[in-house]
Amino acid sequence: MSVVKTAVVTGASSGIGAATARALAGAGFQVVLGARRLDRLREVATSCGGTALPLDVTDAESVAAFVAALPSPLHLLVNNAGGALGLDRIESATDDTWTTMWETNVLGTLRMTRALLPSLRASGDGHVVNIGSIAGFETYIGGAGYTGAKHAERALTRTLRLELLGQPIRVTDVAPGLVETEFALVRFAGDAERAQGVYRGLQPLVAEDVADCVVWAATRPSHVNIDEIVVRPRDQATATAVHRREVTS
Ligand code: NDP
Ligand code: 8X3
């Protein structure tokens, strides 16, 4: 009899997290979804037979309550909650946006991972997948708050891989380029026109493309650790080298 594996996906109320939760459920995982917007989260959970639980990764008490409600052991943790705020040059950057980006992308990943490592270890076949970014190893003008956080998240992932050597827990960094989600809308504080401009004239990835990568890494045999997956649209070579076709309308 095959064991039903349990997966936790943070930030599963939209975008890459929602697509990943659905794809993992499709691959046979029992999925627990966490995020702040519970109405959205419940819709996603219902669509894939998962369980929705409130989670704010920037809040230690929320993380503790989420973790206490999880089944054990756990096989897969997808640290996806994150994002960018603003595109301000260092000269005009605000402490608040940098603090939130750090709290979400870096400390959020730390809090969730630290809390769930015992349960992942207890499964005898655990796996941590962190949704990093090409911003984890590239820089661009106006991006220092976000690229700084994603560089730190990547350092955390690589360090975790070292620290868990010899233990039954795999560690994977999935680092996407441009993916059309709510990412740009959040970055530009709800300015839809500016957000759409990010993807204008090119074919970006969709959330399901990234979810595919997560499921592929998670469904390799236990002895195979996919260290890193860098995935970008064909129209993107670096964060700033993108090919845009002329848009007529
Ligand atoms: P979305 O904005 O669509 O999704 C972000 C998700 O994170 C939402 O579900 C949001 O849920 C959740 N989230 C944000 N803050 C918190 C918090 N404090 N606690 C819990 N959940 C939180 O964007 P994406 O799907 O694109 O982003 C997902 C990840 O992918 C991020 O880590 C992002 O940095 C990364 N990424 C995105 C790329 C892109 O181009 N889109 C490229 C490379 C990486 P809620 O608001 O309900 O809490
Ligand atoms: C999102 C990709 O290039 O906007 O992580 O930083 S980028």
Side-chain angles (χ1 to χ4, degrees):
M1 204 177 66
S2 63
V3 180
V4 175
K5 294 187 170 182
T6 304
V8 164
V9 182
T10 71
S13 59
S14 65
I16 294 168
T20 298
R22 290 193 182 104
L24 287 170
F29 284 81
Q30 180 60 43
V31 185
V32 182
L33 303 83
R36 296 166 301 177
R37 290 171 296 173
L38 258 191
D39 49 341
R40 296 274 302 266
L41 193 69
R42 285 194 183 113
E43 274 177 39
V44 180
T46 302
S47 74
C48 65
T51 305
L53 293 174
L55 173 66
D56 181 347
V57 297
T58 69
D59 177 347
E61 281 181 21
S62 171
V63 170
F66 179 86
V67 167
L70 291 177
S72 186
L74 175 71
H75 296 87
L76 173 62
L77 167 63
V78 182
N79 283 308
N80 165 76
L85 293 177
L87 195 57
D88 299 314
R89 286 172 176 255
I90 289 163
E91 194 170 351
S92 52
T94 61
D95 291 13
D96 283 359
T97 53
W98 279 52
T99 301
T100 302
M101 287 188 275
W102 184 267
E103 275 282 344
T104 312
N105 294 283
V106 189
L107 291 181
T109 299
L110 167 67
R111 290 187 187 103
M112 291 301 301
T113 306
R114 186 174 55 201
L116 290 175
L117 279 179
S119 182
L120 289 162
R121 191 178 290 117
S123 76
D125 185 14
H127 194 169
V128 179
V129 177
N130 290 339
I131 306 300
S133 169
I134 59 168
F137 52 87
E138 295 187 19
T139 55
Y140 50 89
I141 290 172
Y146 180 62
T147 59
K150 285 300 195 191
H151 272 66
E153 187 180 348
R154 185 163 189 253
L156 183 160
T157 308
R158 292 164 73 99
T159 306
L160 190 66
R161 175 88 169 95
L162 289 169
E163 292 178 355
L164 294 178
L165 189 62
Q167 300 188 36
I169 307 177
R170 296 183 284 167
V171 180
T172 300
D173 177 12
V174 174
L178 284 164
V179 191
E180 191 163 11
T181 62
E182 293 174 22
F183 175 87
L185 197 63
V186 171
R187 169 170 245 171
F188 298 126
D191 183 337
E193 200 177 328
R194 195 171 175 201
Q196 278 160 13
V198 172
Y199 311 109
R200 186 151 307 166
L202 60 84
Q203 183 171 0
L205 299 179
V206 292
E208 287 73 16
D209 296 322
V210 183
D212 257 1
C213 296
V214 176
V215 171
W216 181 75
T219 52
R220 293 314 86 207
S222 302
H223 69 285
V224 178
N225 193 97
I226 305 299
D227 281 7
E228 297 184 348
I229 299 177
V230 179
V231 54
R232 311 178 201 246
R234 191 180 60 196
D235 286 337
Q236 180 180 38
T238 71
T240 50
V242 295
H243 175 71
R244 295 184 198 272
R245 290 160 201 86
E246 212 168 304
V247 182
T248 45
S249 60

